[in-house]
Amino acid sequence: PKTFFGTLENASDNILGLFLDNELSPESSPFSIQRICRVAYEHFGLPPGSWFKGSTISLTLDAITANLQVSKPFACDFKVLAFIEGAIYLDEVEQRFNNGKSKNEIEEEQKKNAQKDEEEPQPTLLLVSSILGLDSVNTAYLDVVKELLAMPYSVGIMGGEDKRALYFIGFLEEYLLFLDPHLVQKSLKNKTDLLTADQKQTYSSQAFFSLKMNKMQTSVTFGFYVSNKREMRELVESMQKFSEKYGDDWFLSVMESKENKEQANCALKDDGFLVLE
């Protein structure tokens, strides 16, 4: 069987190939550390060696994939969409899903073949950054964090503890389960370096660790992976239900556009509230 990253037998090799230290071939290794540093500097003025927050690396990965045509054997283009204000803007999702087509063009195509359009492969990683408190995590948000991690489209959370970056993959009662990415690896520049089984095993962790939920840093980035428009719609519908369930404790939002958020902020100001932006 085929996946978006080749056959099941070679999918892991193809995924690892995206991260090889090969800046000369950005289409085959778009996520090399060299490519990430170059794009971060060109787009955001961050020199190599800078500390990358979750929102920073999210925007960098978004910029890398915005105009990237991933080379074969990938079945289709892979996208990263970054939202750093705690809100998913549906117009931006729709535009990227439809390769920049106008709203009228999109609506016409959907009328002609709605079912096919919903199932067409559109592998997309959404990275949504948010703040869970000021100096410490607001404990009222912890049930929401659990709910988000338990979603079928969740791929975890970029976060940390003190000044240590961590990748949270799940939870057990009041503890977050995480992988520690701080493992120095030998530089690999082509796929032949990945041929040995022993080498491949070093890129998947056999151990995970735990952290009390209220000890995590307040700045986090949630990851969600969808493979087509239907899954994106299901993700949005789930978030809207959670918003109703948790009320004021729900800290992520789904909005038609950034303009809608700005209008909502203006409405708050008109009511006499001070909105910190």
Side-chain angles (χ1 to χ4, degrees), residues 157-161 164-168 216-217 219-221:
I157 303 171
M158 286 191 288
E161 174 197 20
R164 190 166 59 128
L166 303 173
Y167 174 39
F168 299 110
M216 67 189 298
Q217 284 185 337
S219 178
V220 293
T221 298

Side-chain angles (χ1 to χ4, degrees), residues 77-127:
D77 293 339
F78 173 70
K79 305 175 182 66
V80 177
L81 297 181
F83 299 96
I84 63 171
E85 300 174 330
I88 296 174
Y89 302 118
L90 295 179
D91 62 336
E92 294 182 16
V93 174
E94 195 68 33
Q95 187 177 36
R96 288 286 290 276
F97 266 44
N98 292 281
N99 299 315
K101 294 177 183 175
S102 69
K103 189 174 181 180
N104 289 338
E105 289 176 317
I106 294 169
E107 290 176 351
E108 282 299 317
E109 289 187 4
Q110 288 176 340
K111 288 177 185 177
K112 291 177 183 177
N113 207 338
Q115 183 62 37
K116 182 179 177 181
D117 185 62
E118 283 257 296
E119 300 296 332
E120 181 183 353
Q122 297 267 14
T124 302
L125 176 65
L126 293 99
L127 298 174

Side-chain angles (χ1 to χ4, degrees), residues 190-202:
N190 55 67
K191 285 189 178 179
T192 58
D193 294 331
L194 296 170
L195 291 178
T196 65
D198 290 342
Q199 180 66 43
K200 290 180 189 178
Q201 288 179 359
T202 67

